[in-house]
């Protein structure tokens, strides 16, 4: 009988098991390497890699996401790490192959106070907006729903909807137009939304619960604020944009407490776009969705749950209005060295070129210094202006190319080693408060044509569901050394 030493068995196992565990990764790595060397960087090759990963998920778990799909970002990073080690180095961006076609669902509110937006004698602004959202979205076959006390399928085709000249007459028997259950509507949209689905709600956003005749406005405001927060906080991965538009209104207006009167004139309505945060980022950065995500007639817009992002920035060695002395450091990020104030005034003034357009915000927000938090030991101040294309020349092109704005910084350098921190705050937008009405009992009241009863409490509820203390759209840090 042959005696086998247990210690030897254990040693062999320790040596062999890592090799076995690494076999899967080795096959994937070798396949990627061969594809790169042969220039076989097509979508077909990408699909072959995905099949290889799915065939052995135990070995390739790091390339599988929480939904059981191939993690394209992780795979892309691995491919390009291998490519960087080849001679000559090569790259292959596979992220585009992993982007699935987005689908669209449209939810049109049909309540008593919505039908006067689309009368035969009106301007048709609301219906044009809905049609544009459908036409400018790449999905050729969106789903359409009618909403009020619930969510109902639209009975016709997309083509019939687009051509319908009186959509509210066509859908007159759909649901109960006496009130709108926003809680049920938003919960349905959020809970049923698929990963690559974009949902759009067109509404006047008048919070009108059932049996509100003797309910105070304050009670309504507190109720809708809590409702919005409780619904949206359950979906932290979602992003929401709200846009304000104006349409011509001709017909009966129904107040929140069941009063009514005739009104002819302008009235605001709102467009909500809801999607996974990554999908919203994709649409904001893609030319394919630019006309969809940027609504032409929108007066104001705001995105809830927009993550902070880094923007491209460059310190300018010289710029109009520069004062004092400083040198842009070649290393160490955004850093000025050998800084001195002007000999006469003691002030040093320098400028930073930044790509604030990457944030998708208007110049009304971006160019207002009051929207920024500025921190430094020496109390620097800033001003912001849009970069004129004519200012980009051969001398400064390397600094200005790809930038959209100039931030000019001024102050008196006294701290030997200072750090300037500039943050564009993500505050609750002022335009929402300016669009809010605490009563809708009188159409002759100032601002009736541009305000909505109770819009602020509801939207603040969404803001509170996503906001974190110290939220910022972007933060720029500059080291200042004497």
């Amino acid at each position: 009988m042959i005696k086998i030493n247990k210690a030897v068995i254990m040693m062999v196992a320790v040596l062999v098991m890592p090799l076995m565990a690494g076999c899967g990764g080795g096959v994937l790595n070798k396949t990627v390497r061969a594809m790169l060397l042969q220039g076989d960087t097509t979508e077909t090759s990408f699909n072959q890699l995905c099949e290889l990963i799915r065939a052995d998920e135990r070995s390739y778990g790091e390339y599988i996401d929480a939904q059981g799909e191939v993690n394209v970002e992780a795979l892309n990073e691995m491919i390009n790490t291998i490519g960087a080690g080849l001679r000559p180095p090569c790259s292959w961006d596979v992220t585009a192959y992993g982007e699935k076609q987005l689908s669209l669902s449209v939810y049109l509110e049909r309540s008593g106070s919505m039908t006067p937006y689309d009368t035969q004698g009106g301007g048709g602004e609301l219906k044009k907006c809905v049609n544009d959202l459908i036409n400018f979205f790449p999905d050729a076959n969106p789903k359409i729903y009618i909403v009020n006390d619930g969510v109902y399928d639209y009975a016709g085709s997309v083509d019939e909807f687009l051509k319908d000249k009186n959509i509210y007459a066509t859908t007159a028997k759909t649901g109960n137009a006496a009130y709108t259950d926003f809680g049920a509507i938003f919960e349905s949209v959020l809970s049923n939304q698929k990963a690559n689905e974009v949902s759009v709600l067109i509404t006047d956003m008048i919070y009108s619960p059932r049996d509100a005749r003797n309910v105070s406005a304050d009670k309504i405001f507190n109720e809708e604020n809590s409702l919005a927060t409780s619904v949206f906080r359950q979906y932290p991965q979602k992003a929401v944009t709200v846009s304000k538009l104006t349409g011509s209104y001709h017909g009966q207006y129904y107040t929140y407490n069941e009063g009514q009167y005739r009104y002819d004139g302008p009235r605001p309505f709102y467009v909500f776009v809801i999607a996974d945060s990554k999908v919203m980022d994709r649409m904001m950065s893609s030319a394919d969705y630019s006309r969809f995500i940027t609504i032409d007639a929108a007066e104001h817009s705001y995105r809830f749950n927009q993550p902070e992002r880094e923007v491209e920035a460059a310190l300018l060695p010289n710029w109009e209005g520069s004062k004092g002395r400083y040198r842009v450091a070649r290393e160490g990020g955004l850093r000025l060295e050998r800084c001195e104030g002007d000999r006469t005034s003691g002030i040093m003034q320098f400028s930073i070129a930044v790509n604030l357009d990457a944030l998708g915000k208007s110049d009304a927000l971006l160019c207002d210094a009051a929207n920024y938090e500025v921190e430094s030991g020496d109390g620097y101040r800033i001003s912001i202006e849009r970069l004129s294309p004519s200012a980009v020349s051969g001398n400064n092109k390397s600094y200005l190319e790809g930038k959209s704005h100039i931030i000019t910084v001024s102050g008196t350098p006294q701290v030997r080693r200072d750090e300037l921190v500039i943050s564009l705050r993500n505050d609750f937008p002022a335009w929402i408060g300016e669009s809010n009405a605490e009563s809708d009992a009188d159409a002759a009241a100032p601002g009736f044509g541009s305000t909505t009863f109770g819009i602020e409490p509801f939207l603040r509820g969404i803001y509170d569901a996503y906001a974190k203390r110290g939220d910022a759209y972007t933060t720029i840090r500059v080291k200042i050394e004497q």
Side-chain angles (χ1 to χ4, degrees):
M1 179 179 291
I2 301 174
K3 293 185 178 180
I4 301 176
N5 191 316
K6 291 183 178 180
V8 173
I9 294 176
M10 291 296 295
M11 184 177 295
V12 170
V14 169
L15 293 172
V16 171
M17 286 179 67
L19 294 174
M20 293 177 63
C23 286
V27 173
L28 180 63
N29 290 358
K30 288 178 181 178
T31 305
V32 168
R33 181 184 175 87
M35 288 177 174
L36 290 171
L37 290 173
Q38 295 168 14
D40 186 14
T41 54
T42 63
E43 186 170 1
T44 300
S45 299
F46 167 77
N47 291 334
Q48 290 174 356
L49 294 177
C50 292
E51 290 173 8
L52 186 62
I53 291 170
R54 293 192 188 97
D56 191 1
E57 293 187 8
R58 184 173 182 179
S59 297
Y60 303 131
E62 61 188 300
Y63 304 113
I64 300 294
D65 62 21
Q67 288 72 44
E69 299 290 337
V70 173
N71 187 328
V72 180
E73 289 80 6
L75 178 58
N76 189 69
E77 182 179 355
M78 183 271 282
I79 289 171
N80 287 284
T81 298
I82 293 174
L86 299 177
R87 293 295 177 267
C90 56
S91 62
W92 179 17
D93 186 358
V94 300
T95 54
Y97 301 141
E99 292 181 347
K100 297 180 180 179
Q101 175 69 43
L102 301 182
S103 62
L104 177 67
S105 295
V106 176
Y107 298 79
L108 176 63
E109 182 188 354
R110 195 204 180 283
S111 62
S113 57
M114 281 291 287
T115 58
Y117 283 101
D118 196 40
T119 57
Q120 296 303 302
E125 297 89 352
L126 183 140
K127 185 57 170 18
K128 182 182 186 305
C129 174
V130 181
N131 284 5
D132 285 349
L133 287 165
I134 294 173
N135 287 328
F136 295 151
F137 195 88
D139 180 14
N141 190 33
K143 296 178 181 178
I144 300 176
Y145 302 91
I146 305 300
V147 300
N148 37 51
D149 68 323
V151 178
Y152 304 94
D153 291 337
Y154 170 66
S157 67
V158 174
D159 190 55
E160 288 172 333
F161 181 92
L162 292 172
K163 293 178 179 178
D164 197 327
K165 296 180 179 179
N166 197 343
I167 189 64
Y168 286 127
T170 305
T171 57
K173 296 183 179 180
T174 305
N176 182 357
Y179 78 104
T180 304
D181 191 339
F182 283 115
I185 293 168
F186 280 110
E187 180 62 41
S188 176
V189 172
L190 290 162
S191 63
N192 293 312
Q193 190 175 61
K194 297 179 175 62
N196 292 287
E197 181 181 1
V198 179
S199 303
V200 174
L201 169 66
I202 300 92
T203 170
D204 64 0
M205 271 313 297
I206 297 175
Y207 186 78
S208 53
R210 193 197 300 264
D211 300 326
R213 184 172 301 172
N214 297 314
V215 180
S216 71
D218 286 341
K219 188 174 189 305
I220 294 290
F221 296 158
N222 286 326
E223 177 184 307
E224 63 174 318
N225 176 264
S226 297
L227 172 68
T229 302
S230 65
V231 170
F232 282 90
R233 71 183 302 180
Q234 300 175 62
Y235 303 92
Q237 79 280 13
K238 299 296 181 183
V240 182
T241 66
V242 58
S243 299
K244 179 184 179 182
L245 299 88
T246 297
S248 54
Y249 189 104
H250 299 282
Q252 288 297 107
Y253 178 87
Y254 297 87
T255 66
Y256 85 94
N257 57 359
E258 302 181 21
Q260 60 175 289
Y261 48 77
R262 172 82 187 191
Y263 175 74
D264 294 277
R267 285 290 299 160
F269 66 94
Y270 303 86
V271 175
F272 286 79
V273 178
I274 304 172
D276 283 355
S277 189
K278 287 184 178 181
V279 170
M280 194 74 76
D281 290 341
R282 173 181 167 185
M283 290 193 295
M284 291 181 69
S285 62
S286 171
D288 293 339
Y289 296 91
S290 61
R291 297 196 68 185
F292 169 81
I293 204 70
T294 305
I295 302 171
D296 288 340
E299 301 161 18
H300 301 283
S301 64
Y302 177 73
R303 174 179 170 179
F304 299 93
N305 202 20
Q306 179 166 341
E308 183 172 356
R309 64 174 296 177
E310 185 177 344
V311 296
E312 292 183 68
L315 289 164
L316 301 177
N318 293 290
W319 193 249
E320 182 180 351
S322 295
K323 296 180 181 179
R325 295 182 178 181
Y326 55 85
R327 187 175 76 175
V328 176
R330 295 182 178 180
E331 299 177 351
L334 298 179
R335 182 166 62 91
L336 294 177
E337 54 190 14
R338 300 183 183 181
C339 298
E340 297 179 24
D342 179 76
R343 292 184 179 181
T344 303
S345 63
I347 294 174
M348 182 179 74
Q349 183 165 296
F350 62 93
S351 296
I352 314 167
V354 292
N355 181 24
L356 294 179
D357 276 354
L359 302 174
K361 302 299 173 184
S362 68
D363 274 355
L365 175 88
L366 298 175
C367 295
D368 187 349
N371 295 322
Y372 293 77
E373 195 76 34
V374 182
E375 300 177 3
S376 68
D378 283 329
Y380 288 95
R381 300 175 301 278
I382 67 169
S383 62
I384 309 96
E385 62 181 350
R386 175 163 286 279
L387 174 64
S388 171
S390 61
V392 181
S393 64
N395 294 332
N396 57 34
K397 186 176 181 180
S398 62
Y399 297 96
L400 300 180
E401 199 165 37
K403 313 300 191 299
S404 63
H405 291 76
I406 299 293
I407 299 177
T408 298
V409 182
S410 61
T412 305
Q414 295 178 341
V415 177
R416 183 171 179 81
R417 293 183 179 275
D418 200 355
E419 183 178 41
L420 170 68
V421 181
I422 303 171
S423 299
L424 176 58
R425 297 191 308 274
N426 188 351
D427 294 334
F428 186 74
W431 69 263
I432 294 178
E434 295 165 358
S435 302
N436 186 66
E438 296 188 356
S439 172
D440 61 354
D442 184 7
F448 180 81
S450 61
T451 58
T452 299
F453 176 79
I455 186 73
E456 180 178 11
F458 193 92
L459 296 185
R460 188 172 284 279
I462 301 177
Y463 180 85
D464 291 342
Y466 292 121
K468 303 177 182 64
R469 186 173 297 176
D471 272 1
Y473 291 115
T474 191
T475 299
I476 299 168
R477 300 176 183 273
V478 182
K479 293 181 180 180
I480 302 174
E481 303 171 359
Q482 292 187 9

